[in-house]
Amino acid sequence: MNELEQIEHKYNFTYPKLYRQLYLDGMLDSGGEYGQDWYEKYYAKLAQNPPMLFFGFDFELLKWNRIVEEIEAFKDPDDYRQTKPEFQFVPFGRQKKRRFVCVPI
């Protein structure tokens, strides 16, 4: 089971077809861990087949473990971002100013 399927199974939903295709095409791959040496380690490889919004200045894809953390935070009644259970938002990226970009499920 891949990361996408694990999240779907854990939270009982199915990603939209387009999102699944982006995953299969490698468009959701951000390379290695973000940090000071990310550019030197991963940029050249990813630039050969850039993932979604790779050349955007104000966007970065979330790692799978971070997606799970944010889904849990959206459910937390003490978190200011708590959403109603009938609205299920699954983050997949964020802007540099910490605003999450989500897929509504």
Side-chain angles (χ1 to χ4, degrees):
M1 192 179 301
N2 62 41
E3 298 100 338
L4 188 111
E5 293 168 336
Q6 289 174 22
I7 291 173
E8 288 178 326
H9 180 73
K10 182 173 183 172
Y11 295 103
N12 195 31
F13 73 90
T14 302
Y15 278 105
K17 284 183 181 183
L18 178 58
Y19 192 83
R20 294 181 70 78
Q21 191 60 50
L22 288 168
Y23 175 82
L24 294 172
D25 291 344
M27 293 292 107
L28 303 176
D29 183 10
S30 61
E33 292 297 320
Y34 294 119
Q36 291 179 343
D37 59 352
W38 182 90
Y39 185 85
E40 292 84 21
K41 287 184 175 180
Y42 307 107
Y43 182 86
K45 179 182 177 240
L46 289 172
Q48 293 172 9
N49 185 29
M52 183 174 69
L53 299 172
F54 181 68
F55 294 107
F57 294 108
D58 191 28
F59 182 82
E60 65 183 39
L61 290 165
L62 296 177
K63 298 289 184 191
W64 296 105
N65 62 328
R66 183 68 190 274
I67 290 172
V68 170
E69 290 172 11
E70 295 306 329
I71 290 172
E72 291 298 324
F74 288 161
K75 295 171 143 192
D76 183 354
D78 295 327
D79 192 296
Y80 73 96
R81 299 169 298 170
Q82 181 201 19
T83 57
K84 293 181 180 179
E86 62 265 26
F87 302 123
Q88 190 167 12
F89 297 104
V90 179
F92 66 90
R94 70 176 185 177
Q95 295 174 312
K96 300 292 182 188
K97 294 186 181 192
R98 304 277 190 227
R99 293 183 188 112
F100 289 100
V101 181
C102 300
V103 175
I105 304 297

